[in-house]
Amino acid sequence: MVLLIGGIPLTGGAVYIEQASIPSRLMRSAVSLAGPIANIISALLFAIIYRYAPLTPIVLNALGFSIFLQFYAAILNLLPIPSLDGFGIIEPWLAPSQRTYIRSLGFNFGFIFLLSLLILVPNFSKSIVDASLKGTVALGVTLRAVGNGAEIFSGSNSKAIFGILILVMTVGFYFHHYIFNAHLRHFQNGYKFFAAGEFHKALKAYEDSVEQNPNFFEGWKQMGLVLHLLGQYEQSIAAIQKAIKLDRSDWSLYLFNGNSYSKLGKFAKSANDFSTALKLSPNKYVVYNDRGLTLAEQGNYQQAISVLTTGIQLSTDSPMILAFSYNNRGYAFYLKGDFELALIDINKSLSIDSSHYYAYYNRGLVYLAKGLNSAAKEDFVRFVELCQTPQNKYSFQVQELLEKANLQLQKLT
């Protein structure tokens, strides 16, 4: 089909790569770069044969055009379009969510988009041709040989065949999407349920996605997050471990596990995972926040306050996270018994984000400890009001705090 529409040089068949076996992002980029490099090496080998082997004119013409195609394929393959190697080179450096989203779009439409550029945008194709010809001529091949070789591939029905090819590929897309990409449909459904706070439905959708594709990284990751929110910490760790086997470079996986181990009282494992998360992403304030809370709940108050202070310093560019960070340090001061410092931090948190419900709960605890029952009651009531959202309705951690807040309100009443 491709030869008939004018000899567009394809870059080779798609090859499955076991990403989990490649130890670093740099090596993953190198694997993708190997494709274009192989094209250049082939061009060099063909050029040696072209220049020094005793060949007939017909073979010389065919070989000259083949050298041109190698350069064309190398340049084409370096374009950052899924599923070309150009995208494969930059893909390891993207966030996992970006990789999944671009991959789901690109592998369905990328090839159609590429063909459309080559056939319908003359200047785009011409620029690649010109660059390929310069490389070919630099190796000692004459333009006449390239032109004569190209005549073999010319066809008068290219537009009609292109239309047929687009039709075939469109049908193939729907087949691919509903059969081979069923895991992505389940994942998208899971995300909709997750955004609506329907965690149990989201969990079922994520389970279906990894059942369809056991190597689906995002499915395992989201399943681990939902299980953690549902309070199923052992199962969450098991799901996250599956994700880690598929991609060891995602710092958030170790953050999830660190929190789950902390909830289970396995503080040594928790600390180890938090440390790994910080090695992968040294300036992630979220890790400092969660690590600091774990230390505070263990009774290591000074270390906790120091870690949480670092989190505050790193989160100044995000008001929402800054409010979260001040509230966490305020909670650490509360556990330590420094109620005045706790109030200062929690009030800062609420001055930044007046809807931060955790801050109302923590300030209620501080007021209660200081004997200010009326003020404590107001904050607990406000906390309960702010928790009436779909996301919080099914969150195990929020439900635990709601039970505690309601119990305090009953006592105060």
Side-chain angles (χ1 to χ4, degrees):
M1 292 293 290
V2 172
L3 292 177
L4 285 171
I5 66 173
I8 295 172
L10 288 180
T11 56
V15 179
Y16 175 74
I17 298 171
E18 182 58 62
Q19 297 287 351
S21 300
I22 305 174
S24 69
R25 291 185 291 181
L26 187 62
M27 288 301 295
R28 292 180 193 178
S29 294
V31 167
S32 293
L33 187 60
I37 289 175
N39 289 126
I40 300 301
I41 293 173
S42 297
L44 293 172
L45 292 174
F46 289 163
I48 293 172
I49 298 171
Y50 177 91
R51 296 186 65 175
Y52 299 110
L55 303 172
T56 64
I58 292 177
V59 178
L60 281 173
N61 292 339
L63 200 58
F65 187 57
S66 295
I67 294 169
F68 165 80
L69 291 183
Q70 292 299 324
F71 276 107
Y72 196 108
I75 296 169
L76 197 69
N77 211 5
L78 286 170
L79 296 174
I81 300 173
S83 56
L84 299 179
D85 283 331
F87 177 74
I89 293 169
I90 64 173
E91 183 182 13
W93 307 93
L94 301 175
S97 57
Q98 292 175 322
R99 293 201 298 265
T100 301
Y101 178 72
I102 296 174
R103 202 183 294 133
S104 66
L105 287 180
F107 288 120
N108 292 325
F109 297 106
F111 191 59
I112 295 176
F113 176 67
L114 177 62
L115 283 178
S116 300
L117 284 177
L118 291 170
I119 293 177
L120 303 177
V121 184
N123 287 336
F124 177 81
S125 182
K126 183 178 180 299
S127 63
I128 299 178
V129 169
D130 290 344
S132 304
L133 285 174
K134 287 181 181 178
T136 305
V137 171
L139 294 182
V141 179
T142 65
L143 289 176
R144 179 182 292 274
V146 176
N148 290 338
E151 287 182 7
I152 302 171
F153 298 97
S154 61
S156 60
N157 298 318
S158 59
K159 291 184 179 179
I161 296 171
F162 174 66
I164 294 171
L165 183 61
I166 292 296
L167 179 61
V168 171
M169 291 184 65
T170 302
V171 174
F173 158 69
Y174 282 106
F175 183 83
H176 181 70
H177 181 70
Y178 288 104
I179 303 299
F180 294 107
N181 275 354
H183 66 287
L184 288 177
R185 287 191 294 110
H186 290 302
F187 181 79
Q188 289 163 358
N189 288 336
Y191 189 79
K192 291 175 185 176
F193 289 132
F194 180 81
E198 299 183 64
F199 294 155
H200 289 285
K201 290 182 179 180
L203 178 61
K204 178 62 170 64
Y206 293 139
E207 287 173 344
D208 290 340
S209 74
V210 296
E211 183 179 343
Q212 291 287 332
N213 183 358
N215 292 320
F216 185 37
F217 167 81
E218 284 291 335
W220 287 112
K221 178 180 175 179
Q222 284 298 116
M223 188 194 304
L225 173 59
V226 171
L227 285 165
H228 178 84
L229 292 173
L230 291 171
Q232 300 177 34
Y233 303 120
E234 293 282 3
Q235 295 92 323
S236 173
I237 291 168
I240 293 299
Q241 290 297 345
K242 294 275 191 181
I244 289 174
K245 288 181 180 179
L246 295 170
D247 187 351
R248 296 181 177 87
S249 64
D250 188 341
W251 63 271
S252 65
L253 300 175
Y254 300 94
L255 176 68
F256 294 161
N257 266 3
N259 283 320
S260 291
Y261 280 128
S262 175
K263 294 293 184 181
L264 293 169
K266 299 178 180 180
F267 297 116
K269 288 186 176 181
S270 173
N272 183 61
D273 276 343
F274 284 136
S275 297
T276 303
L278 287 174
K279 286 177 183 177
L280 291 170
S281 187
N283 295 321
K284 277 296 175 185
Y285 37 74
V286 179
V287 184
Y288 285 98
N289 276 320
D290 291 359
R291 173 65 176 142
L293 280 179
T294 299
L295 287 167
E297 288 171 353
Q298 288 179 257
N300 299 327
Y301 303 123
Q302 284 304 124
Q303 187 181 355
I305 290 166
S306 175
V307 170
L308 290 166
T309 299
T310 302
I312 290 172
Q313 294 167 347
L314 291 172
S315 59
T316 52
D317 60 336
S318 173
M320 184 180 296
I321 300 299
L322 187 60
F324 182 73
S325 302
Y326 272 118
N327 174 61
N328 286 346
R329 194 174 69 175
Y331 180 65
F333 279 126
Y334 160 75
L335 291 177
K336 188 184 177 185
D338 292 340
F339 301 137
E340 295 304 322
L341 290 176
L343 280 177
I344 291 172
D345 272 355
I346 295 171
N347 285 331
K348 279 184 181 178
S349 173
L350 288 171
S351 69
I352 297 168
D353 181 4
S354 61
S355 63
H356 187 45
Y357 49 91
Y358 278 127
Y360 285 104
Y361 178 82
N362 287 338
R363 193 170 68 176
L365 292 177
V366 176
Y367 283 147
L368 201 62
K370 289 171 63 67
L372 303 173
N373 292 352
S374 178
K377 182 179 178 180
E378 287 182 15
D379 276 349
F380 287 137
V381 168
R382 182 63 176 148
F383 168 73
V384 172
E385 290 173 351
L386 289 171
C387 284
Q388 305 308 312
T389 64
Q391 281 279 352
N392 292 327
K393 185 178 179 182
Y394 294 100
S395 171
F396 179 76
Q397 288 92 339
V398 175
Q399 290 304 309
E400 278 189 319
L401 291 183
L402 273 172
E403 288 181 13
K404 292 178 181 178
N406 284 318
L407 184 62
Q408 293 293 350
L409 285 171
Q410 288 175 14
K411 291 180 180 178
L412 290 169
T413 300

